C-alpha cells in the first residue's frame, strides 16, 4: 500500500526554513561580495594581502557574523561603484554618504570621519577661500565617481580632471598638470606614506576646510534589512568592546591627529 502523501509538508518545511533565515541575520549576511579600492591607510594590499584601517574593521565584522573566510576583493573605484549600483549582493568600503547615494545604497556606520580640504603643490600661488574660488582655477584632479568627484559636480564644478585613482590625482598635482586635489586631512598623511615617489611635504592646504564627511560601509540598494542590521550590530559591538578604538589608534595615533 503506497504511503499517504501530505501536500502541506513541503510548504511547512519551506516556511520553517524561511523563518529560521529571518530570525538569523548571520545566515543572511552570507553571499555578499565584499569590495574595496587601493586607498591607504583605509584599504591597501601588502604582498597580495588586504590591509588597512577599514579592512581590519570589516574583517572583525565578518568574524562576528561567522564569515571570517570571506575574501575582500580590490577593484578600481569606478568599477566597484558600478557593481554596487547595478548588481545585488555587493558591499563596498570606505564610502562617504551623500543625498544622491542615500537614494541608491544602504549604509552601515559611521566608521570614520574627516575634514575635507583642497591641497596644492607646495609653493603654488593658487589660493582658495571657498568653493567659488576653486571653481575658477584651471583644473582640479578627482577620481571618477568617488565622493569628491560627485560632491564637486553637485556644486557646479566644470573644471575637473578625472582619473582612475587618487594616486594619479596627486601625481598630476606634483607635476603641475592640475592645480588642486581634494582629500581628507586625516587621510592625507596615511595615504602619502604608502605612495612611491610622493611625500606629504610636496603638498599643502590651499585654504580653509570645505566640508566634513562621515565614512561608511556601503551595500547594494536591494540588500535585505536583516543583513544591514546584522552588520550594524556587529560594528556597534566592536565599538562598545574597544576593538574599534584599538584599530583606530594603530592607524591614526591620537598624538598625530590634527587639532
Amino acid at each position: 500500500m503506497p504511503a499517504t502523501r501530505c501536500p502541506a509538508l513541503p510548504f511547512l518545511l519551506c516556511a520553517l526554513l524561511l523563518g529560521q533565515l529571518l530570525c538569523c541575520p548571520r545566515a543572511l549576511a552570507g553571499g555578499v561580495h565584499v569590495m574595496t579600492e587601493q586607498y591607504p591607510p583605509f584599504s591597501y594590499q601588502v604582498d597580495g594581502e588586504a590591509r588597512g584601517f577599514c579592512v581590519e574593521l570589516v574583517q572583525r565584522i565578518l568574524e562576528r557574523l561567522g564569515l571570517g573566510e570571506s575574501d575582500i576583493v580590490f577593484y578600481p573605484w569606478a568599477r566597484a561603484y558600478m557593481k554596487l549600483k547595478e548588481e545585488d549582493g555587493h558591499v563596498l568600503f570606505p564610502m562617504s554618504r551623500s543625498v544622491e547615494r542615500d537614494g541608491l545604497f544602504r549604509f552601515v556606520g559611521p566608521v570614520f570621519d574627516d575634514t575635507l580640504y583642497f591641497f596644492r603643490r607646495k609653493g603654488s600661488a593658487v589660493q582658495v577661500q571657498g568653493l567659488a574660488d576653486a571653481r575658477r582655477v584651471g583644473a582640479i584632479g578627482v577620481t571618477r565617481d568617488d565622493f569628491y568627484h560627485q560632491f564637486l559636480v553637485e556644486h557646479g564644478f566644470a573644471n575637473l580632471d578625472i582619473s582612475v585613482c587618487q594616486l594619479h590625482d596627486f601625481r598630476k598635482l606634483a607635476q603641475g598638470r592640475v592645480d588642486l586635489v581634494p582629500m581628507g586631512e586625516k587621510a592625507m598623511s596615511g595615504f602619502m606614506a604608502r605612495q612611491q615617489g610622493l611625500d606629504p611635504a610636496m603638498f599643502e592646504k590651499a585654504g580653509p576646510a570645505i566640508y566634513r564627511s562621515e565614512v561608511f560601509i556601503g551595500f547594494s540598494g536591494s540588500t535585505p534589512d536583516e543583513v544591514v542590521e546584522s552588520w550594524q550590530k556587529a560594528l556597534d559591538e566592536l565599538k562598545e568592546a574597544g576593538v574599534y578604538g584599538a584599530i583606530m589608534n594603530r592607524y591614526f595615533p591620537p598624538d598625530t591627529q590634527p587639532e
Side-chain angles (χ1 to χ4, degrees):
M1 182 176 180
T4 303
R5 298 186 61 186
C6 178
L9 185 56
F11 173 81
L12 291 173
L13 289 174
C14 290
L16 178 60
L17 178 59
L18 179 60
Q20 289 176 337
L21 287 173
L22 292 175
C23 292
C24 183
R26 294 192 176 193
L28 286 172
V32 292
H33 184 61
V34 184
M35 308 178 294
T36 190
E37 64 169 334
Q38 297 284 353
Y39 186 24
F42 303 105
S43 50
Y44 56 94
Q45 290 174 299
V46 176
D47 297 328
E49 293 188 9
R51 302 281 180 84
F53 167 72
C54 288
V55 166
E56 284 199 32
L57 192 58
V58 167
Q59 287 173 335
R60 298 299 180 275
I61 291 173
L62 291 170
E63 289 172 4
R64 281 191 170 254
L65 296 173
L67 301 169
E69 299 300 318
S70 297
D71 290 330
I72 296 174
V73 183
F74 284 74
Y75 290 111
W77 176 262
R79 181 179 175 190
Y81 186 84
M82 190 62 65
K83 282 180 171 290
L84 193 74
K85 185 176 179 181
E86 296 184 349
E87 301 176 15
D88 298 333
H90 286 70
V91 177
L92 175 60
F93 69 88
M95 190 174 192
S96 296
R97 293 181 72 165
S98 66
V99 173
E100 177 186 357
R101 290 179 176 181
D102 280 349
L104 297 172
F105 309 117
R106 312 291 304 277
F107 292 94
V108 165
V111 298
F112 192 77
D113 65 85
D114 207 348
T115 304
L116 174 64
Y117 288 85
F118 283 118
F119 288 86
R120 65 186 180 187
R121 187 171 53 168
K122 193 163 188 176
S124 168
V126 175
Q127 295 280 349
V128 291
Q129 295 303 311
L131 295 179
D133 291 338
R135 290 190 193 96
R136 292 191 286 268
V137 306
I140 299 173
V142 293
T143 299
R144 183 178 302 279
D145 284 334
D146 78 353
F147 175 76
Y148 306 137
H149 179 198
Q150 294 178 348
F151 174 83
L152 295 177
V153 168
E154 289 171 3
H155 286 79
F157 281 72
N159 56 340
L160 303 180
D161 184 294
I162 302 169
S163 74
V164 297
C165 67
Q166 289 86 359
L167 174 58
H168 289 185
D169 298 335
F170 278 97
R171 282 179 175 168
K172 290 178 183 179
L173 185 60
Q175 296 164 3
R177 295 165 56 192
V178 298
D179 300 289
L180 300 169
V181 171
M183 180 164 273
E185 182 180 26
K186 291 180 184 177
M188 183 68 172
S189 60
F191 176 81
M192 287 293 163
R194 294 190 169 275
Q195 304 301 344
Q196 188 173 2
L198 295 179
D199 188 300
M202 299 168 63
F203 310 100
E204 60 189 359
K205 296 173 185 174
I210 59 172
Y211 191 75
R212 186 165 185 83
S213 68
E214 289 187 318
V215 178
F216 292 76
I217 302 167
F219 291 72
S220 299
S222 60
T223 305
D225 291 344
E226 291 83 0
V227 174
V228 177
E229 290 166 4
S230 69
W231 280 63
Q232 185 68 59
K233 184 175 183 292
L235 174 61
D236 293 343
E237 290 172 350
L238 291 173
K239 290 181 177 181
E240 292 172 4
V243 176
Y244 170 90
I247 298 173
M248 171 69 77
N249 290 339
R250 282 204 303 276
Y251 288 91
F252 304 97
D255 59 352
T256 67
Q257 287 306 305
E259 297 181 358

